[in-house]
Amino acid sequence: MKKKILVTGGAGYIGSHTTVELQEAGYEVVIVDNLSNSNLGVVEGIERITGIRPAFEQIDCTDKKGLTEVFNKYPGINGIIHFAASKAVGESVHKPLLYYRNNIVSLLNLLDLMPEYQVKGIVFSSSCTVYGQPEKLPVDETAPIQPALSPYGNTKQIDEEIIRDALNAGLPYKSIILRYFNPIGAHPSAEIGELPNGVPQNLVPYLTQAAIGIRKELSIYGNDYNTPDGSCIRDYIHVVDLAKAHVIALDRILENKSESRLEYFNLGTGKGVSVLELVYAFERATGVKVPFKIVGRREGDIEQIWADSRYANEVLGWKSVETIEDTLKSAWRWQLKLRENGIM
Ligand code: NAD
Ligand code: WQD
């Protein structure tokens, strides 16, 4: 009997790639997504890749009644991967209440319903943003959590504390909290990828849109940081490598592979790459020039962060494998597919 997994936000960027990996690992997936930052075409893309159309319910996770109906309609949900959230840092500064409501009430509803429906555990999408600018690099899971730099980052910190306190109170389930660094790239099939609404805030989608001519040029936010080439450093991880880690984390919970009821893992490549290095890696990988200019720093940007992912490597037996060049090639193939399909 296939184990049934609820994937909230499963029509989103990381959720869709994780759904593919879950299906390919033999899980039955039920996607719940309100399509606030995605579309149904993503579900078709998943089906084109795996040959299996995941169950899909257009429900808002802040709607507890709607979520309850999903648990009743799909009995026997064994585990949850909770991606559904609002995630635009800049927007969160202007709409804090929307972010607190969406990102916290959604989680509270799920944690409430889990014992009622005997769900064994939840994998939670967190972010390296909880570390702020770490004192020590690379950053491992023992690094201190720093005061959040945005309401978005604060919702991730609050959600992590909610899960911790729920488990300390004896609620009968397990959790693994995955702190992602910078996911980029797209599925090698180019059937799914990152499809930001409006003007991309993140580097790679903006870069590929500049490379294809949708944007006049990429603005690089500052080259006067205390880094080798002056631009900020991040840990860019292929979204498929990230997706695979979720299947391993879920297996770990459902097969009771750990004594701990709550674990945290940093999911990164362990390598820091600067903005300029990434631009040049893209040009080498694709043969396509990126029009760019250097502008002033972006408020709220931290200077440099990359993961010490040894704990995930050793305990989960997971390691990112894709090179930055191959990851950027996948992002470019996805951008070309969007053009081919007349989407942008
Ligand atoms: P995304 O916006 O592509 O996916 C999120 C999905 O959740 C979307 O399909 C959206 O429609 C849905 N959604 C939002 N609120 C919902 C609600 N209340 N009910 C149901 N569906 C809802 O984002 P993503 O990049 O795939 O991120 C997924 C998760 O990973 C988020 O929790 C995000 O905070 C976290 N994360 C993302 C990054 C990143 O750089 N992309 C980094 C660290 C952490
Ligand atoms: C990366 C680097 C920019 C755009 C954010 C969130 C984080 C997580 C991932 C949700 C930075 C530079 C960017 C551009 C640029 N999201 N840049 N020109 O800021 O590391 O992380 O997304 O959890 O919480 O903070 O990612 O892609 O926005 O920026 O120069 O047009 O690229 O300054 O140094 P970031 P990013």
Side-chain angles (χ1 to χ4, degrees):
M1 174 84 163
K2 281 188 176 183
K3 289 189 177 141
K4 201 179 293 179
I5 305 303
L6 176 65
V7 177
T8 73
Y13 175 40
I14 305 170
S16 55
H17 287 82
T18 303
T19 296
V20 165
E21 298 306 320
L22 285 167
Q23 289 184 330
E24 290 183 347
Y27 282 102
E28 180 189 343
V29 173
V30 178
I31 291 178
V32 160
D33 200 306
N34 67 0
L35 300 183
S36 58
N37 197 33
S38 52
N39 64 73
L40 260 186
V42 175
V43 178
E44 280 139 36
I46 293 169
E47 184 179 8
R48 282 195 296 275
I49 295 168
T50 65
I52 306 166
R53 188 180 183 84
F56 176 83
E57 298 294 335
Q58 186 171 349
I59 295 281
D60 188 317
C61 291
T62 62
D63 165 15
K64 192 171 180 179
K65 187 170 169 300
L67 262 187
T68 305
E69 285 158 16
V70 172
F71 280 99
N72 292 330
K73 183 173 177 183
Y74 301 94
I77 286 174
N78 301 97
I80 297 172
I81 304 184
H82 183 38
F83 293 107
S86 303
K87 61 147 186 178
V89 172
E91 183 186 50
S92 77
V93 174
H94 305 294
K95 299 180 182 172
L97 300 186
L98 179 151
Y99 273 69
Y100 286 113
R101 184 172 300 108
N102 195 37
N103 296 4
I104 293 171
V105 173
S106 292
L107 177 66
L108 291 174
N109 286 340
L110 291 167
L111 297 180
D112 262 347
L113 290 166
M114 285 172 69
E116 222 173 300
Y117 291 89
Q118 294 84 45
V119 179
K120 286 190 75 175
I122 182 168
V123 175
F124 177 69
S125 296
S126 192
S127 167
C128 64
T129 202
V130 302
Y131 298 120
Q133 174 59 66
E135 293 294 311
K136 188 169 105 32
L137 287 169
V139 62
D140 68 24
E141 291 82 355
T142 64
I145 302 301
Q146 306 230 35
L149 296 171
S150 70
Y152 164 75
N154 204 23
T155 66
K156 289 301 176 185
Q157 291 183 11
I158 293 168
D159 280 348
E160 288 197 7
E161 289 165 2
I162 289 170
I163 292 170
R164 179 202 62 202
D165 293 347
L167 293 173
N168 288 342
L171 282 167
Y173 41 69
K174 289 187 161 186
S175 181
I176 289 180
I177 292 177
L178 301 177
R179 292 171 178 160
Y180 314 156
F181 283 67
N182 288 61
I184 61 170
H187 192 269
S189 67
E191 294 294 351
I192 54 175
E194 189 169 11
L195 195 53
N197 283 344
V199 179
Q201 300 306 304
N202 291 125
L203 175 64
V204 171
Y206 200 105
L207 182 153
T208 57
Q209 288 187 17
I212 204 165
I214 295 171
R215 309 288 165 198
K216 179 170 174 285
E217 61 193 344
L218 169 70
S219 297
I220 293 182
Y221 298 136
N223 67 346
D224 58 350
Y225 287 93
N226 183 22
T227 61
D229 65 18
S231 64
C232 292
I233 294 172
R234 296 289 186 275
D235 185 330
Y236 296 98
I237 177 170
H238 196 299
V239 66
V240 173
D241 281 340
L242 188 66
K244 291 179 192 290
H246 288 74
V247 181
I248 295 170
L250 197 65
D251 288 344
R252 185 171 174 83
I253 290 177
L254 300 186
E255 289 161 31
N256 278 317
K257 290 182 179 172
S258 163
E259 295 301 306
S260 317
R261 298 182 57 231
L262 175 58
E263 296 177 292
Y264 301 82
F265 294 97
N266 284 353
L267 297 183
T269 66
K271 288 188 286 294
V273 173
S274 77
V275 178
L276 284 165
E277 285 171 336
L278 186 141
V279 169
Y280 299 136
F282 176 88
E283 294 183 338
R284 278 197 310 277
T286 62
V288 176
K289 285 298 281 175
V290 179
F292 71 83
K293 65 181 175 183
I294 306 287
V295 298
R297 295 182 174 192
R298 179 172 69 176
E299 199 189 332
D301 272 341
I302 60 165
E303 181 173 87
Q304 49 188 316
I305 186 168
W306 65 94
D308 176 342
S309 52
R310 282 175 299 176
Y311 189 60
N313 304 156
E314 289 152 18
V315 173
L316 294 182
W318 166 89
K319 194 164 172 48
S320 69
V321 294
E322 296 297 337
T323 64
I324 188 76
E325 286 81 7
D326 286 343
T327 305
L328 291 167
K329 265 189 204 156
S330 74
W332 182 236
R333 275 199 305 273
W334 168 244
Q335 187 68 63
L336 292 174
K337 188 71 169 286
L338 290 173
R339 167 64 52 94
E340 194 185 301
N341 293 345
I343 295 173
M344 64 163 66

